[in-house]
Amino acid sequence: MESNDTNTLIQSSKGDGTIQRTMLREVIRQRIVERILDGTYMPGTRLVESAIAREFGTSQGPVREALRDLAGMRFIESEPHRGSRVREVSLAELVQVYPVRAALEEVAGREAASRMSEETIGSLSSELEEMHRAAESGDAHTQLVHDVRFHQIIVEASGNQILIEMWNSLRVEARTLISAIKSGSDLKLIAEMHRPILHGLQIGDGEVAGREMRQHIEFFGDLVARVSKTV
Amino acid sequence: MESNDTNTLIQSSKGDGTIQRTMLREVIRQRIVERILDGTYMPGTRLVESAIAREFGTSQGPVREALRDLAGMRFIESEPHRGSRVREVSLAELVQVYPVRAALEEVAGREAASRMSEETIGSLSSELEEMHRAAESGDAHTQLVHDVRFHQIIVEASGNQILIEMWNSLRVEARTLISAIKSGSDLKLIAEMHRPILHGLQIGDGEVAGREMRQHIEFFGDLVARVSKTV
DNA sequence: TTCGATTCCATTATCGATAATCTATACGTT
DNA sequence: AACGTATAGATTATCGATAATGGAATCGAA
């Protein structure tokens, strides 16, 4: 319940010239997200405003705002007068994500293909490489990180701001459940499955890239759907 | 600046058995949205927390929360220590919306086709009818309302909660710019363009319905894209 | 014991005031 | 006059306290 190292939330930022726009709400939000992602706050955990405020040494206000933001990002859910708790990510919901993600990424691939720079191609190649490296050491989690990053790069390369915001709001990186399934799969194969996408982008063919991305996501969607039925 | 009729924000709700879960933040949010949509708050208008609070007879807190929600919904944009203003909906942004919307609605059509009830078909038919009625009286705005509703019904019929949330966050109804363009078009033709979609859904063919929806949206996307170049 | 009403407690929702920060204006120096 | 700096006013960010609410525990009657 107590904390000592967490109390320095605000760096007065005098010293370096950079203006350190510190907003309490932001800091608190990040802190909570970390805890959700690393499992400190498991799904279902109640997040009590006053308790968090006390722990962080702030007042209730900023905590409340942080929680509201988190609710907007679907990390938590809140009911009036009843507080907030970490959201349960159901398998059923995960299944619903895939068709949406497939559709969005198809658009991303199509639009990104004509906007690829050498640098972007380089980043993608290097993420792919990292995926393989992780596959060899059997590190499913690390592979997932690079996997997500690979897709994110493409979405951002689309240059479509709406698309980017929309994709980010899917919180792909937070729905880590897949890693569980992946660990049962062939990591090397998974890494290799990204190559056709990269190829499509390299030759600048939007139709190919889009189609490959869609199929890629749909593949995992089917995988998850199958698992969810088994359960 | 002053207001008299707007001060009764909370109905104590004693009397009728119904529990009137009134949350100040919610009421204020709705109020502001109304004003944005009806043009009282034009794009660029500054929304000053204390001023709104004074006008509504509340404290700054709930107003602040309402504004934060609105920022999440992309109705307004806020900068730290600099306040909020009504967002400018640029034409460029509007152009970017269409590919995303097309992709999402294709999924919606595909998934909805197998879940159509008599009732849903009825609702869609009636919206289509209303579109025609509006077309005949040359009422572009009313037609737009039913147009949006038509699409919304399909998205909701998909049963995919993620998809529904995602589509709603596009705020299709708020990006009313299209109505301007539409008024220059043949309203009857626009209404009629919804019929193939309805047909696809009626025969329960997801592929057809999905494809029709995509093409439908892409059509208007191209229209807007063309206009945006002209400007 | 079991059901319902009542009281108490934890927590959220709101308030009013203060601190921090921004923008623009006024001022002084060159 | 042009420029940079200081000051004032407006506005947001945060605080600490109070009111409103919901849920659980308690009590009493059947």
Side-chain angles (χ1 to χ4, degrees):
Chain A
M1 291 302 178
E2 86 305 322
S3 74
N4 281 330
D5 58 334
T6 55
N7 276 344
T8 323
L9 292 186
I10 300 192
Q11 312 90 328
S12 352
S13 79
K14 54 182 176 185
D16 59 339
T18 331
I19 301 149
Q20 195 84 351
R21 170 98 20 266
T22 324
M23 202 134 17
L24 220 35
R25 167 178 22 114
E26 296 292 324
V27 185
I28 295 172
R29 180 164 60 72
Q30 280 181 266
R31 268 302 202 358
I32 298 177
V33 168
E34 279 172 23
R35 294 189 179 181
I36 293 178
L37 292 183
D38 74 12
T40 308
Y41 292 154
M42 300 283 281
T45 305
R46 286 199 55 187
L47 300 179
V48 177
E49 297 177 359
S50 52
I52 298 175
R54 204 170 333 114
E55 178 182 0
F56 287 168
T58 75
S59 74
Q60 185 194 352
V63 175
R64 187 180 165 76
E65 298 193 357
L67 290 180
R68 194 146 306 291
D69 285 356
L70 290 174
M73 299 175 177
R74 317 251 163 232
F75 272 114
I76 67 175
E77 50 192 358
S78 317
E79 281 187 275
H81 290 286
R82 300 201 39 198
S84 311
R85 54 184 62 232
V86 179
R87 222 160 91 83
E88 188 71 60
V89 220
S90 74
L91 204 50
E93 183 186 304
L94 194 62
V95 172
Q96 293 187 329
V97 168
Y98 280 93
V100 176
R101 204 185 143 192
L104 291 181
E105 296 205 18
E106 178 177 17
V107 177
R110 201 164 46 226
E111 299 193 356
S114 57
R115 311 176 83 253
M116 297 307 286
S117 65
E118 277 306 317
E119 194 193 337
T120 312
I121 295 282
S123 307
L124 288 172
S125 305
S126 110
E127 294 297 338
L128 181 53
E129 203 178 311
E130 293 292 341
M131 276 188 253
H132 271 110
R133 199 191 314 284
E136 274 165 26
S137 48
D139 184 346
H141 183 265
T142 299
Q143 190 186 41
L144 181 73
V145 170
H146 292 291
D147 191 334
V148 172
R149 185 79 194 106
F150 182 92
H151 289 267
Q152 188 173 38
I153 289 171
I154 297 172
V155 171
E156 277 168 7
S158 77
N160 185 323
Q161 201 53 43
I162 302 285
L163 179 60
I164 294 170
E165 285 171 15
M166 201 104 317
W167 189 85
N168 282 331
S169 75
L170 279 179
R171 302 267 133 221
V172 175
E173 83 285 0
R175 312 195 192 254
T176 321
L177 295 191
I178 321 110
S179 74
I181 297 159
K182 278 194 176 169
S183 56
S185 309
D186 182 345
L187 295 184
K188 270 187 185 167
L189 179 63
I190 291 174
E192 201 50 35
M193 286 177 66
H194 288 83
R195 199 171 296 283
I197 299 175
L198 180 54
H199 180 256
L201 292 171
Q202 269 175 321
I203 63 174
D205 189 328
E207 291 311 313
V208 171
R211 180 158 18 90
E212 289 296 338
M213 290 204 76
R214 162 188 282 273
Q215 288 175 357
H216 179 95
I217 305 294
E218 281 175 349
F219 173 82
F220 291 103
D222 291 346
L223 208 62
V224 175
R226 214 165 305 133
V227 173
S228 80
K229 277 178 194 158
T230 317
V231 179
Chain B
M1 295 300 178
E2 85 305 321
S3 75
N4 281 330
D5 58 332
T6 55
N7 276 344
T8 323
L9 291 185
I10 299 192
Q11 311 92 326
S12 354
S13 80
K14 55 183 175 184
D16 60 340
T18 331
I19 302 147
Q20 196 83 351
R21 170 97 19 269
T22 324
M23 203 135 16
L24 221 34
R25 168 184 15 120
E26 296 292 324
V27 185
I28 295 172
R29 179 164 60 72
Q30 280 183 265
R31 269 303 203 355
I32 298 177
V33 168
E34 279 172 24
R35 293 187 180 183
I36 292 177
L37 292 183
D38 75 12
T40 308
Y41 291 153
M42 300 283 283
T45 304
R46 285 200 53 185
L47 300 180
V48 177
E49 297 177 359
S50 53
I52 298 175
R54 206 171 331 114
E55 179 182 358
F56 286 169
T58 75
S59 74
Q60 186 195 351
V63 175
R64 186 180 166 76
E65 298 193 357
L67 290 180
R68 192 145 307 289
D69 286 356
L70 290 174
M73 299 176 179
R74 319 249 164 233
F75 273 114
I76 67 176
E77 50 192 359
S78 318
E79 282 187 276
H81 289 286
R82 300 202 39 201
S84 312
R85 54 184 62 233
V86 179
R87 223 160 92 82
E88 189 72 59
V89 218
S90 75
L91 204 49
E93 183 186 305
L94 194 63
V95 172
Q96 293 187 330
V97 169
Y98 280 93
V100 176
R101 205 187 141 189
L104 290 181
E105 295 204 18
E106 179 177 17
V107 177
R110 201 163 47 226
E111 299 193 355
S114 58
R115 310 176 83 255
M116 298 307 285
S117 65
E118 277 306 315
E119 194 191 338
T120 312
I121 295 283
S123 307
L124 288 172
S125 305
S126 110
E127 295 297 338
L128 181 53
E129 203 177 312
E130 294 290 341
M131 277 188 252
H132 271 110
R133 199 191 314 282
E136 274 164 27
S137 47
D139 184 346
H141 182 266
T142 299
Q143 190 187 39
L144 181 73
V145 171
H146 292 291
D147 191 334
V148 171
R149 186 79 195 107
F150 183 92
H151 290 267
Q152 187 173 39
I153 289 171
I154 298 172
V155 171
E156 278 169 6
S158 77
N160 185 323
Q161 200 54 41
I162 302 285
L163 179 60
I164 294 171
E165 286 170 14
M166 202 104 315
W167 190 85
N168 282 331
S169 74
L170 280 178
R171 301 267 132 220
V172 175
E173 82 285 0
R175 312 193 191 256
T176 321
L177 296 191
I178 321 108
S179 74
I181 297 159
K182 277 192 175 171
S183 55
S185 309
D186 182 344
L187 294 184
K188 269 186 183 166
L189 179 62
I190 290 173
E192 202 49 35
M193 285 178 66
H194 289 82
R195 198 171 296 283
I197 299 175
L198 179 55
H199 180 255
L201 292 170
Q202 268 175 323
I203 63 175
D205 188 328
E207 291 310 313
V208 170
R211 177 157 23 88
E212 289 296 338
M213 289 203 78
R214 162 188 282 272
Q215 289 174 356
H216 179 95
I217 306 293
E218 281 175 348
F219 173 82
F220 290 104
D222 291 346
L223 209 62
V224 176
R226 215 166 305 134
V227 172
S228 80
K229 278 177 194 159
T230 317
V231 179

